[in-house]
Each structure stands twice: as C-alpha cells, then as structure tokens.
C-alpha cells in the first residue's frame, strides 16, 4: 500500500494488517467533549476492540457533536448512518420514548448506590424494553452523566425566587422544560452543541449540568455562579441501530458490547471521583459556588403538581418500579 505522499505504509511504521481496512466498522457518536471521561473510556474501548480482533473490527469514536446535534444524531442512528449513539433518556431520546425520562424526576436519588441499584435493576430493564420498541437496541450498562447543578452569568441562585423568569437553557426533553417551568424559570430547549454560544451571546442567562460538563465543555468560561442544587441525576443509554447490530456476527457483537459495557463501568468510577474534585478546580477557574437549601426547590415541585402530573404520564407500573428503590414520591 502506498500513501498519497509516495511512502510505503511500512516506511511510515504501519503494519500492512493495520493499514488494511477493517472488516467491520462501527460509528459511535455522542455530544460530549474530547476530554470528558466518556470520550476517554470510549476511545479505550475502541483500542481494546481493535486489539482483541486484530484490526478486524473498528469502533470509530465521534465525540463533541462531530456528526451533528443530538437531534441530528438520533435521526442518523434510526436511519442506520450511525451504529451506536449515546443519549440521555431525558434528552432527545424522550421525544421518541417519553417514559425513558422517568429517572430524571427532580431530587429522587440521594446517592450513587441508589442510582445504580435502580438503573442496573428492574427500572433499567423496563426502560430497555421500551427503547427496543422503537428499533433501538440498548447496551446493558448506562454511562454516567452526573448529578446536575445550576450555573448563571447574572446572580447566584439561592432559592426558587432567584430562578423567577430566568432564561435558562435545558436540553431538548419535556421533563426538563416542565421541571424548570415549575421552578418558575423561563426554560429554552437548546441542543448541547449550541450551548456555549447561547451562553456567550446571552441568548440565555443560565444552564444546568454536571460539574464534568461545566469543566470539559468550557461552560465555566461563560458562566459566573454555580448553585450546587443536585436537582436531578442523568445518564446515557448506549443505543445501537437494531438492523445494523443484528447484521454483525455473534462474536463481533460480543467483543463490542463487552468492551462498551466495561467502558461504561470505568467511566462511572471516573465521574464519581470527579464529582468530589471538580468543585475546587472550577473555583480556581473563577466559578463562584453556593450551596442552597434544596427543600424550597422540592416544595415548589410538589406544590406545582410536578410529581403527580408526571406520575400520570409515566403510568402506575413504571412509577411503582421506581418507588421500590427510591421510596414514595407522591
Ligand atoms: O445536553 C446536555 O446538557 C448534556 C450533555 O448533559 C446531555 O446530553 C443531557
């Protein structure tokens, strides 16, 4: 094989095997930044897959919205142009599978133990079944997107009153809009790839995200205050285009799913560690933190009928499964 520069592949240090095109190439796409632990662990999975299959299987990792916004990527994974897509069940995936957002209800998870007991347990299984109905196949393990906090450029948020009428970006999902409307804010649904510029140009004054995203997506550069509200927890399903996935031989499915699930478990550890260390790092970058009492926020959701109206939408069956691990909600 010769390159366009007229050098042989071996002269460049590649073995012929490496230079040969892989027999199976899978596109794995998502919205997170290059330095986010999800991207780091996804690239590790790709390297292990290449090694274990001697280059026969290639996992092509496209982070940072390289293949488009979440809305675009969802269309592409449905059509088969993307093979594997990481998306939150509360985000655009919920436009197709509304009940996939149930784990995003405000203030339901006290800690990571409860989170994983719920999502690796009965609720996770029930949500996988709903996602399969739209011909997307979820890999077994979810990837952590962290507990979320509110950042603003204008003023610290200490109580729901500080959110009154505030223009705040939320991802594209009905639960997010509903929650922030119930808090009294003016939420705008904006895809993650447009978040930085929406904050920079003051289309919105605030947003809410994990500390990992506030750091790796450089949100800290365009925000001043961060209220540690932990108002909800989020994670990603890794969904495969069903037709593409089923066309792969069983041994290829095995090596890909095993390594992707392992990467998800590794990434969960990274996120748990980062949730403890990033406050200091971001404070040094100039972000001003405050720790509000969260009870008035919870009360606002209860008084606004947030839980009872979503209970009706999700239905009694899913609601009962959720309450088994998180306790009574209404
Ligand atoms: O869009 C966001 O804020 C992000 C990256 O956290 C999600 O995908 C939900």
């Amino acid at each position: 094989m010769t390159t366009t520069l007229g050098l042989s592949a071996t002269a460049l240090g590649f073995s012929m095997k490496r230079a040969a095109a892989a027999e199976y190439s899978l596109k794995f796409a998502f919205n997170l930044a290059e330095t986010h632990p999800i991207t780091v662990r996804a690239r590790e999975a790709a390297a292990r897959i290449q090694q274990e299959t001697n280059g026969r299987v290639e996992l092509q990792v496209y982070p940072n919205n390289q293949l488009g916004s979440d809305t675009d990527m969802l269309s592409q994974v449905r059509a088969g142009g993307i093979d594997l897509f990481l998306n939150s069940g509360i985000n655009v995936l919920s436009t197709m599978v509304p009940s996939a957002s149930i784990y995003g209800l405000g203030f339901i998870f006290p800690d990571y133990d409860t989170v994983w007991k719920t999502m690796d347990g009965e609720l996770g299984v029930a949500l996988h079944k709903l996602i399969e109905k739209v011909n997307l196949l979820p890999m077994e393990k979810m990837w952590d997107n962290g507990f979320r906090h509110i950042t603003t450029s204008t003023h610290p948020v200490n109580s729901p009153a500080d959110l009154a009428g505030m223009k705040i970006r939320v991802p594209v999902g009905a639960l997010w809009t509903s929650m922030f409307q119930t808090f009294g804010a003016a939420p705008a649904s904006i895809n993650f790839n447009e978040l930085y510029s929406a904050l920079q140009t003051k289309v919105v004054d605030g947003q809410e995200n994990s500390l990992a995203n506030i750091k790796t997506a450089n949100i800290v550069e365009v925000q001043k205050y961060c209220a540690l509200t932990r108002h909800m927890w989020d994670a990603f399903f890794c969904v495969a285009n069903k037709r593409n996935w089923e066309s792969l031989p069983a041994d290829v499915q095995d090596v890909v799913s095993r390594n992707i699930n392992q990467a998800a478990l590794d990434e969960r550890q990274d996120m748990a560690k980062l949730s403890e260390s990033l406050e200091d790092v971001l404070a040094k970058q100039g972000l001003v933190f405050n720790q509000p009492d969260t009870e008035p926020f919870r009360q606002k959701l209860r008084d606004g009928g947030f839980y009872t109206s979503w209970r009706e939408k999700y239905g009694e069956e899913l609601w009962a499964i959720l309450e088994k691990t998180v306790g009574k909600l209404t």
Side-chain angles (χ1 to χ4, degrees):
M1 188 191 138
T2 334
T3 67
T4 45
L5 293 173
L7 299 167
S8 78
T10 35
L12 284 171
F14 297 108
S15 74
M16 291 313 281
K17 208 172 196 175
R18 176 79 200 270
E23 194 179 338
Y24 298 99
S25 232
L26 299 174
K27 285 195 165 76
F28 182 21
F30 46 86
N31 62 11
L32 299 142
E34 189 63 54
T35 50
H36 193 286
I38 283 184
T39 311
V40 175
R41 296 300 187 176
R43 292 202 186 284
E44 281 179 11
R48 287 197 302 267
I49 289 166
Q50 148 139 43
Q51 201 178 25
E52 283 182 37
T53 63
N54 291 318
R56 183 168 155 247
V57 183
E58 180 190 23
L59 186 69
Q60 298 176 339
V61 182
Y62 295 96
N64 210 14
N65 294 107
Q66 281 171 17
L67 300 187
S69 69
D70 281 314
T71 304
D72 299 330
M73 289 190 281
L74 180 63
S75 309
Q76 290 180 66
V77 75
R78 295 204 70 208
I82 288 174
D83 300 286
L84 292 157
F85 173 43
L86 281 178
N87 195 237
S88 152
I90 317 165
N91 199 355
V92 296
L93 194 55
S94 75
T95 60
M96 290 181 57
V97 189
S99 292
S101 65
I102 188 169
Y103 64 89
L105 282 164
F107 302 103
I108 60 173
F109 292 118
D111 51 38
Y112 271 121
D113 280 351
T114 316
V115 159
W116 299 123
K117 198 168 140 201
T118 306
M119 304 315 291
D120 287 336
E122 207 181 329
L123 187 71
V125 172
L127 298 185
H128 280 196
K129 285 194 186 131
L130 294 176
I131 294 171
E132 279 173 40
K133 285 194 181 149
V134 300
N135 283 331
L136 293 171
L137 212 70
M139 300 288 116
E140 191 187 333
K141 299 296 178 194
M142 289 188 96
W143 300 56
D144 188 14
N145 191 29
F147 283 93
R148 297 174 82 90
H149 310 287
I150 299 171
T151 68
T152 56
S153 58
T154 46
H155 59 279
V157 173
N158 270 304
S159 73
D162 295 321
L163 286 176
M166 194 178 96
K167 283 186 286 173
I168 182 166
R169 176 270 179 177
V170 292
V172 182
L175 184 74
W176 253 304
T177 305
S178 159
M179 188 184 306
F180 279 84
Q181 275 171 348
T182 313
F183 283 145
S189 304
I190 296 174
N191 269 312
F192 194 58
N193 62 331
E194 289 173 1
L195 173 57
Y196 185 94
S197 75
L199 292 169
Q200 192 177 37
T201 59
K202 304 267 166 40
V203 169
V204 288
D205 294 324
Q207 66 89 47
E208 47 81 60
N209 238 302
S210 67
L211 296 182
N213 276 327
I214 293 167
K215 169 73 185 151
T216 60
N218 301 322
I219 293 168
V220 57
E221 294 173 3
V222 283
Q223 295 283 268
K224 182 73 191 156
Y225 303 99
C226 181
L228 295 167
T229 49
R230 254 172 152 260
H231 54 279
M232 66 201 283
W233 168 84
D234 186 33
F236 295 91
F237 292 101
C238 179
V239 296
N241 173 282
K242 193 157 180 270
R243 213 173 341 103
N244 291 2
W245 183 258
E246 286 174 350
S247 74
L248 298 171
D251 64 320
V252 173
Q253 289 178 352
D254 174 67
V255 78
V256 173
S257 61
R258 185 163 36 76
N259 280 295
I260 283 187
N261 288 325
Q262 182 58 52
L265 294 178
D266 294 340
E267 185 268 345
R268 292 179 185 184
Q269 304 288 328
D270 300 337
M271 286 292 284
K273 279 192 205 126
L274 283 177
S275 72
E276 283 163 18
S277 61
L278 275 182
E279 193 182 326
D280 281 350
V281 174
L282 289 165
K284 288 202 183 92
Q285 282 185 266
L287 198 61
V288 179
F289 284 93
N290 67 297
Q291 176 62 73
D293 173 8
T294 56
E295 187 45 36
F297 292 87
R298 295 165 198 250
Q299 194 60 42
K300 189 98 182 162
L301 293 184
R302 286 192 291 263
D303 292 349
F306 176 76
Y307 297 99
T308 44
S309 78
W310 281 94
R311 177 175 186 157
E312 246 169 65
K313 291 186 188 116
Y314 293 130
E316 288 309 312
E317 201 183 325
L318 274 186
W319 198 266
I321 296 175
L322 175 65
E323 285 189 337
K324 278 190 201 174
T325 51
V326 305
K328 280 263 164 254
L329 295 172
T330 48

